[in-house]
Amino acid sequence: MDDGIREGAAGPGVWRTAPLWDVAGSLKIGGLLHDGRARDVAEAVEWHDGEARAARARFRDLSAQDKAALVAFISGL
Ligand code: HEM
């Protein structure tokens, strides 16, 4: 998610890991991630890279049913 913007000691590719509670609230207001670019949880996961690349790979490996269950859980559905 390197946006070329440095903030203090945090380089352009360094982001605070967002807490996942009230993702439902964020979805009502707009999109997910720091700039709202992801329209839903699955899209947010697809934007993960770097340290979160392995988690993204494991998410991709889930069955469609397990993926849907995880997305529904995090979305508060
Ligand atoms: C399957 C596991 C994971 C899921 C389902 C997941 C899901 C999400 C979601 C839905 C968001 C957006 C939250 C919001 O905007 O309110 C998010 C943000 C974020 N996640 Fe994960 N995540 C996972 C694993 C990880 C791991 C392992 C890391 C780091 C090693 C990580 C780092 C981040 C960071 C830094 C953000 C904020 C990025 C930004 O604001 O642009 N995530 N994650």
Side-chain angles (χ1 to χ4, degrees):
M1 300 188 197
D2 190 334
D3 60 0
I5 299 171
R6 174 175 292 279
E7 291 180 76
V14 176
W15 294 97
R16 166 180 168 273
T17 300
L20 292 181
W21 61 80
D22 206 24
V23 160
S26 302
L27 284 170
K28 273 185 218 141
I29 298 166
L32 299 175
L33 301 178
H34 66 280
D35 54 4
R37 70 175 79 172
R39 286 163 295 182
D40 56 41
V41 168
E43 226 175 87
V45 174
E46 282 306 319
W47 278 107
H48 284 60
D49 207 338
E51 288 175 47
R53 187 177 302 193
R56 185 187 66 190
R58 288 196 299 275
F59 177 78
R60 285 179 178 171
D61 284 346
L62 292 176
S63 66
Q65 197 183 353
D66 284 349
K67 236 181 247 179
L70 180 69
V71 166
F73 176 71
I74 297 172
S75 308
L77 301 176

